[in-house]
């Protein structure tokens, strides 16, 4: 009966297109809850993360489903079985494709043993790609879909919060000098500080020596009494009336202010105020450039369509007459007619800030979920020279959604200059002292959304190196709305979007990230690259020129392919050759058709081209630079598995990090997480969740010292192996319960209501990596 009532509830709105409801499954429920103004919520998932969850599991958070069955990777062998097969074991002489070459002494199941075949980890890339195989076919329309079984159908992380929260009027004040509570007796939070500390708050953590990492660094803790390390920065003081008063300790650490303007007290940049988000929600933020350009796009499109019909009719009339005409003359006449009737754009793009990509600027890709501020900060410390936000959807940004604007927040280390060591000619007018590391990536399915998003971003976020348009995201809910990789099949629309973004972005350059195409064996990226760097036929007919894209990044896979098979670097090389030809021609592009204003040209008068896919070592990096002739390389999954890949690239050698060094990185990530999300119960829960998300990739690192051959391959899956010590074995465990154990080394026991289900237990393990 309960199931029947649940099925009658309207489906929730699509997180990417609120006006369109999610059609399946019908049992989804949308629960609206009025939040108490003092209630502090955990970090909310962005629109893209919500879409990923729906694509993987077909259910919304909070709907219980049967847990997936854990696949047994092997059976325990008796000693006599191993000895019996000892003589039959082959000696490893050549590398087996797709399998990491583990040295025999580190294999859990020695070569030739009965357990060996079951020990190889399942190909999660193939599982992720299977999502398209299961899509509805024409003859299945109208049939009721069977519920998925044996998959991870629910990734509800539960709640990590105090049993009863402390009222915000007491959170940072001395015991006898509380602030005024606006809700008085009706407040549902605790007002008695001692009762809260004794009854409702969990015991202090003993990790980090029991000292709050935030207080130790800054001399104060932003969450006050709610801190899980509060014992390290509180004291009991004798009051005048003889009572004991609890007080927080604050000390001046003498850290000083940042030399960069617009840096928050927490060392972050691009902090958008609450008032600005409210103004966006109430549509009080004006976007005059975007509005004018949108109107012009619609008007000029109609004019061009009418004129094209006139020209076609004129040619048909001439063909029916006796007079013979020169086809080339007709073409030139049409172009002149189009230009004569063409309405000029309301304004031209502003001169752009110069940017630079080169061999010394390895790029960290935009990564949904994992590409959060603490992880990017960790990678910057290890040598990443350019970073991007997680992909943010345009419409939620325009509407002022907190979860989407949180993605624009970056650390002050990302406001520093990238490396610059040009080996050839010096880039004209470029100064890396005026350049930043951090760029924003957005997705939009309509030109007006992209224009408004770009104008608002450049107004509210002072530290943006570029605004990047995502044209490669394979997520079904993004694709079906016409955003992400769907734009690859609408190249005229994509070109208009890039032109408009370039027109409204002020001095911030516009870049594009694409895939080879949407379908296997039907790549169209080469045609798209040609269109972006030279301009499409429609633009040329009305006197336009290049789209204005300052850089293009190509992921060497199709949408259908997702992450199966290797990236096609030969195709990337072909596209790089086209852009190289464009850059070499430079100013010689101007002719009777392409007579364009210099401001419509990309910054520096050239377009940078980056490759993306399967970069897992400095060897991969250097080989792709040399053979594909790209300017730089964007690293995604390789950085998730081993963030020190940027260190390897910088030093030009393999770095076999010890288990203790890798654990130190985990500790550093936790410290960054507590700085970002807080050291209270909610902040610790959020830090733990995103740490586990990272560890779901990091465990796949196979130490170089136990490999039979180099270089390691990103696509290789190892047989079951043991490390050189117990810690190395633990860090390489694929059991998520071991990841939780690692998190407890720094964050203490998980909250009783905390849950975690790894993504690779579902059929979309790799979807959160680069689009």
């Amino acid at each position: 009966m309960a199931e029947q009532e649940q099925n009658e509830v309207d489906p929730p709105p699509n997180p990417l297109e609120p006006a369109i409801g999610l059609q399946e499954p019908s049992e989804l429920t949308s629960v609206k809850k009025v939040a108490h103004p003092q209630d502090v919520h955990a970090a909310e998932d962005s629109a893209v993360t919500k879409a990923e969850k729906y694509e993987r599991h077909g259910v919304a958070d909070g709907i219980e489903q049967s847990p997936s069955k854990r696949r047994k990777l092997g059976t325990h062998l008796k000693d006599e079985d191993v000895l019996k097969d000892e003589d039959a074991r082959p000696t490893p002489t050549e590398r087996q494709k797709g399998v990491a070459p583990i040295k025999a002494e580190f294999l859990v199941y020695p070569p030739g043993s009965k357990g060996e075949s079951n020990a190889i980890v399942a190909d999660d890339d193939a599982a992720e790609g299977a999502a398209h195989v299961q899509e509805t076919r024409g003859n299945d329309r109208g049939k009721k879909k069977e519920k998925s079984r044996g998959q991870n159908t629910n990734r509800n992380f539960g709640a990590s919060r105090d049993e009863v929260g402390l009222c915000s009027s007491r959170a940072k004040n001395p015991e006898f000098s509380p602030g005024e509570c606006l809700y008085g007796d009706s407040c549902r939070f605790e007002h008695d500080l001692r009762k809260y500390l004794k009854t409702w708050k969990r015991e202090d953590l003993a990790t980090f020596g029991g000292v709050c990492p935030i207080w130790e660094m800054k001399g104060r803790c932003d969450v006050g009494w709610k801190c899980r390390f509060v014992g390290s920065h509180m004291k009991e003081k004798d009051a005048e009336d003889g009572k004991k008063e609890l007080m927080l300790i604050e000390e001046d650490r003498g850290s000083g202010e940042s030399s960069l303007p617009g840096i928050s007290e927490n060392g972050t940049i691009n902090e958008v105020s609450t008032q600005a988000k409210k103004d966006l929600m109430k549509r009080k933020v004006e976007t005059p450039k975007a509005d004018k350009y949108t109107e012009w796009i619609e008007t000029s499109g109609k004019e061009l369509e009418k004129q094209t019909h006139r020209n076609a009719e004129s040619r048909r009339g001439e063909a029916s007459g006796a007079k013979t005409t020169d086809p080339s003359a007709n073409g030139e006449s049409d172009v002149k007619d189009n230009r004569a009737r063409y309405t000029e754009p309301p304004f031209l793009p502003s001169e752009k800030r110069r940017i630079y990509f080169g061999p010394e600027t390895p790029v960290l890709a935009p990564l949904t979920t994992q590409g959060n501020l603490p992880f990017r900060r960790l990678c910057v410390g290890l040598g990443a020279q350019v970073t991007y936000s997680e992909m943010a959807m345009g419409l939620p940004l325009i509407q002022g959604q907190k979860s989407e604007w949180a993605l624009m927040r970056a650390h002050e280390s990302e406001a520093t200059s990238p490396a610059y060591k040009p080996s050839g000619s010096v880039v004209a007018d470029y100064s890396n002292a005026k350049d930043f590391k951090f760029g924003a990536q957005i997705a939009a399915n309509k030109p007006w959304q992209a224009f408004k998003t770009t104008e608002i971003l450049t107004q509210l976020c002072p530290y943006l190196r570029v605004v990047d348009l995502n044209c490669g995201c394979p997520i079904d809910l993004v694709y079906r709305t016409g955003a992400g990789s769907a734009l690859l099949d609408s190249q005229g629309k994509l070109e208009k979007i890039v032109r408009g973004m370039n027109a409204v972005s002020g001095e911030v350059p516009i870049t594009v990230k694409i895939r080879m195409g949407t379908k296997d064996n039907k790549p169209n990226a080469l045609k798209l690259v040609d269109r972006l760097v030279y301009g499409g036929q429609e633009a040329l007919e009305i006197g336009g020129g290049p789209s204005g894209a300052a850089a293009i990044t190509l992921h060497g896979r199709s949408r259908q392919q997702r992450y199966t098979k290797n990236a096609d670097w030969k195709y990337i090389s072909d596209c790089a050759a086209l852009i190289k030809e464009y850059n070499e021609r430079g100013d010689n592009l101007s002719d009777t058709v392409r007579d364009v204003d210099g401001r419509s040209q990309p910054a520096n008068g050239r377009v940078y081209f980056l490759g993306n896919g399967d970069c897992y070592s400095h060897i991969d990096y250097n080989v792709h630079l040399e053979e594909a002739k790209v300017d730089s390389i964007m690293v995604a999954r390789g950085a998730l598995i081993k963030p020190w890949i940027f260190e390897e690239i910088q030093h030009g050698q393999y770095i076999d990090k010890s288990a203790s060094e890798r654990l130190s990185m985990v500790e550093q990530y936790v410290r960054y997480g507590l700085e970002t999300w807080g050291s209270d119960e909610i902040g610790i829960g959020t830090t733990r969740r995103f740490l586990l998300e990272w560890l779901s990739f990091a465990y796949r690192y196979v130490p170089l010292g136990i490999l039979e051959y180099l270089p390691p391959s990103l696509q290789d899956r190892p047989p079951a192996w043991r490390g050189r010590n117990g810690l190395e074995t633990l860090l390489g465990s694929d059991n998520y319960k071991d990841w939780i154990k690692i998190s407890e080394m720094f964050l203490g026991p998980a909250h009783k209501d905390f849950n975690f289900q790894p993504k690779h237990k579902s059929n979309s393990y790799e979807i959160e990596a680069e689009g």
Side-chain angles (χ1 to χ4, degrees):
M1 187 67 180
E3 259 184 301
Q4 185 176 355
E5 292 176 359
Q6 190 181 36
N7 288 337
E8 294 175 358
V9 179
D10 291 335
N14 188 324
L16 308 179
E17 274 297 308
I20 305 175
L22 296 176
Q23 298 303 314
E24 50 186 50
S26 60
E27 66 265 25
L28 293 176
T29 58
S30 180
V31 181
K32 293 184 179 180
K33 180 181 177 182
V34 180
H36 190 284
Q38 297 188 45
D39 212 351
V40 181
H41 298 283
E44 183 186 356
D45 288 331
S46 67
V48 179
T49 302
K50 291 175 184 175
E52 283 183 7
K53 287 182 179 180
Y54 182 81
E55 176 168 334
R56 289 192 192 90
H57 323 309
V59 295
D61 289 345
I63 298 178
E64 294 296 330
Q65 298 270 334
S66 59
S68 60
K69 297 178 181 179
R70 179 174 176 80
R71 177 180 177 183
K72 295 181 180 179
L73 297 180
T75 56
H76 294 289
L77 297 176
K78 295 180 181 179
D79 291 339
E80 53 266 29
D81 292 333
V82 176
L83 293 172
K84 183 178 179 180
D85 294 333
E86 192 172 32
D87 295 335
R89 297 175 193 165
T91 302
T93 56
E94 59 182 28
R95 188 165 184 169
Q96 184 179 350
K97 186 178 180 180
V99 179
I102 308 293
K103 292 178 180 178
E105 59 266 35
F106 296 104
L107 291 173
V108 173
Y109 302 102
S113 67
K114 293 181 179 179
E116 183 190 12
S117 60
N118 291 330
I120 298 176
V121 178
D123 186 353
D124 48 20
D125 284 336
E128 191 272 336
H132 290 280
V133 179
Q134 297 169 355
E135 288 182 355
T136 303
R137 290 170 173 79
N139 56 357
D140 293 332
R141 295 187 186 280
K143 294 183 180 180
K144 187 176 181 181
K145 290 187 177 181
E146 293 184 5
K147 206 175 273 187
S148 299
R149 301 292 181 186
Q151 297 179 23
N152 168 29
T153 56
N154 187 19
R155 291 192 81 226
N156 179 19
F157 296 100
S160 296
R161 58 179 69 247
D162 296 324
E163 190 172 347
V164 176
L166 180 65
C167 179
S168 59
S169 65
R170 270 72 174 163
K172 299 179 183 179
N173 293 36
E175 182 182 11
F176 298 156
S177 304
E180 180 183 357
C181 177
L182 300 177
Y183 301 91
D185 295 337
S186 63
C187 181
R188 61 189 178 88
F189 293 96
E190 183 59 67
H191 284 201
D192 187 330
L193 178 58
R194 290 183 184 268
K195 183 178 180 181
Y196 165 77
L197 294 174
K198 182 178 180 181
T199 308
W200 307 128
K201 179 178 172 291
R202 286 210 292 163
E203 70 281 358
D204 273 10
L205 294 175
T207 57
F208 298 106
V211 178
C212 172
I214 315 303
W215 179 83
E216 185 178 29
M217 181 184 66
K218 299 196 298 186
R220 59 179 175 79
C221 180
D222 299 324
V223 296
W225 297 108
K226 298 179 183 180
C227 178
R228 290 291 308 280
F229 301 90
V230 70
S232 65
H233 51 80
M234 62 170 280
K235 64 181 179 180
E236 201 171 37
K237 182 180 178 182
D238 292 329
E240 293 180 358
D241 56 2
K243 294 181 180 180
K244 300 284 188 180
E245 181 182 19
L246 294 176
M247 301 186 69
L248 293 170
I249 301 173
E250 292 190 1
E251 297 179 358
D252 184 8
R253 293 283 189 249
S255 56
E257 296 184 358
S258 173
S259 58
L260 295 172
I263 307 295
S264 73
E265 293 181 356
N266 296 322
T268 54
I269 57 175
N270 297 335
E271 290 275 9
V272 178
S273 68
T274 302
Q275 185 59 49
K277 295 170 193 170
K278 288 181 179 179
D279 290 343
L280 285 167
M281 292 176 66
K282 297 177 181 179
R283 300 183 180 181
K284 291 184 178 180
V285 177
E286 296 182 353
T287 53
K289 289 184 178 180
D291 295 340
K292 289 180 180 178
Y293 205 88
T294 301
E295 183 180 352
W296 173 77
I297 282 280
E298 295 174 353
T299 302
S300 62
K302 292 177 182 177
E303 289 177 350
L304 182 60
E305 185 178 355
K306 289 180 181 179
Q307 186 60 30
T308 301
H309 285 308
R310 290 194 194 99
N311 294 338
E313 290 175 0
S314 175
R315 284 195 296 271
R316 282 196 295 269
E318 292 176 359
S320 62
K323 188 183 294 184
T324 303
T325 59
D326 182 5
S328 62
N330 281 338
E332 292 177 5
S333 176
D334 289 348
V335 170
K336 291 179 180 179
D337 288 343
N338 289 340
R339 290 186 179 184
R341 298 175 182 270
Y342 170 63
T343 301
E344 292 290 335
F347 49 84
L348 289 172
S350 301
E351 186 174 355
K352 304 301 177 185
R353 185 194 313 119
R354 300 299 193 250
I355 59 172
Y356 169 79
F357 288 98
E360 69 274 31
T361 59
V363 179
L364 175 64
L367 302 163
T368 302
T369 306
Q370 277 84 3
N372 48 61
L373 188 153
F375 183 75
R376 296 197 309 268
R377 186 178 174 186
L378 181 69
C379 289
V380 168
L382 291 168
Q385 297 300 317
V386 179
T387 63
Y388 287 91
S389 71
E390 301 175 52
M391 184 182 79
M393 298 304 300
L395 189 58
L397 286 173
I398 295 169
Q399 295 172 339
Q401 289 189 15
K402 293 181 180 178
S403 58
E404 221 66 16
W405 277 103
L407 304 181
M408 297 300 112
R409 190 179 172 206
H411 187 256
E412 61 180 322
S413 61
E414 297 176 87
T416 56
S417 304
Y420 179 54
K421 300 175 183 177
S423 56
S425 59
V426 178
V427 179
D429 301 326
Y430 174 75
S431 171
N432 74 326
K434 298 179 181 179
D435 203 356
F436 315 127
K437 288 185 172 72
F438 179 74
Q441 188 186 64
I442 65 169
N445 62 347
K446 296 179 177 66
W448 71 266
Q449 288 182 7
F451 303 162
K452 279 183 174 288
T453 302
T454 302
E455 186 170 1
I456 292 170
L457 277 175
T458 52
Q459 283 179 12
L460 300 181
C461 299
Y463 289 97
L464 288 181
R465 184 177 205 251
V466 299
V467 176
D468 185 75
L469 178 66
N470 181 296
C471 305
C473 179
I475 301 173
D476 285 340
L477 284 179
V478 176
Y479 178 80
R480 289 170 185 168
T481 63
S485 55
L487 290 172
L488 299 175
D489 292 331
S490 302
Q491 297 190 357
K493 177 181 174 182
L494 171 54
E495 184 187 355
K496 288 180 182 178
I497 290 177
V498 175
R499 287 182 184 280
M501 290 174 64
N502 193 53
V504 305
S505 66
E507 68 170 6
V508 180
I510 301 300
T511 60
V512 186
K513 187 169 189 290
I514 63 177
R515 282 185 178 238
M516 288 171 54
T518 55
K519 297 179 181 179
D520 283 347
N521 304 318
K522 292 184 178 180
N524 63 352
L526 189 61
K527 181 180 177 182
L528 175 59
V529 168
D530 180 84
R531 184 168 193 143
L532 290 175
V533 298
Y534 287 110
Q537 184 62 32
E538 301 91 338
L540 298 179
E541 286 185 359
I542 57 178
S547 67
I552 300 172
T553 302
L554 175 60
H555 182 185
R557 291 184 174 90
S558 68
R559 174 187 182 259
Q560 185 179 7
Q561 185 183 348
R562 298 284 180 106
Y563 294 89
T564 58
K565 303 178 183 177
N566 294 325
D568 189 344
W569 278 90
K570 174 63 173 63
Y571 190 85
I572 294 175
S573 177
D574 293 342
C575 294
L578 174 67
I579 292 185
K580 182 180 179 182
E581 177 189 357
Y582 168 81
N583 289 332
E584 287 177 348
R585 294 176 67 180
D587 297 333
N588 296 327
L589 284 175
S590 298
D591 54 28
T592 55
V593 178
R594 296 185 175 117
D595 186 14
V596 296
D597 190 288
R599 285 175 291 180
S600 65
Q601 300 284 339
N604 308 338
R606 60 165 294 164
V607 177
Y608 289 99
F609 188 65
L610 291 76
N612 176 216
D614 299 341
C615 184
Y616 192 43
S617 68
H618 69 288
I619 297 294
D620 293 335
Y621 188 86
N622 292 329
V623 167
H624 294 327
L625 284 176
E626 179 63 27
E627 296 183 355
K629 305 300 182 184
V630 293
D631 292 301
S632 186
I633 292 170
M634 183 177 282
V635 187
R637 289 178 298 160
L640 290 173
I641 296 172
K642 58 170 191 181
W644 62 95
I645 184 175
F646 299 106
E647 198 175 357
E648 289 187 346
I649 292 170
Q650 185 177 1
H651 293 92
Q653 63 182 29
Y654 288 113
I655 300 177
D656 187 11
K657 294 285 185 182
S658 66
S660 58
E661 288 176 307
R662 292 166 60 200
L663 190 65
S664 295
M665 290 184 192
V666 174
E667 178 184 354
Q668 194 64 64
Y669 180 92
V670 170
R671 288 180 180 271
Y672 292 161
L674 295 177
E675 283 185 48
T676 303
W677 297 302
S679 55
D680 58 345
E681 192 69 68
I682 294 175
I684 284 177
T686 303
T687 301
R688 191 190 307 275
R689 176 212 162 170
F690 286 110
L691 171 63
L692 295 174
E693 296 279 18
W694 172 37
L695 292 178
S696 71
F697 274 89
Y699 89 91
R700 287 168 54 178
Y701 173 70
V702 180
L704 295 178
I706 72 171
L707 287 176
E708 194 80 46
Y709 307 103
L710 294 176
S713 172
L714 187 60
Q715 299 294 72
D716 284 354
R717 299 293 180 262
W721 58 275
R722 62 174 64 88
R724 292 166 289 191
N725 53 52
L727 179 57
E728 193 166 73
T729 302
L730 177 65
L731 290 171
S733 171
D734 68 342
N735 188 336
Y736 72 94
K737 294 181 180 179
D738 286 332
W739 309 341
I740 294 177
K741 288 180 184 177
I742 295 170
S743 77
E744 290 178 341
M745 293 180 183
F746 306 103
L747 297 171
H751 193 280
K752 61 182 177 62
D753 296 327
F754 178 82
N755 297 314
F756 180 78
Q757 184 70 19
K759 287 183 178 180
H760 76 273
K761 297 300 175 187
S762 71
N763 66 341
S764 298
Y765 181 34
E766 301 289 8
I767 201 170
E768 67 289 318
E770 81 277 40

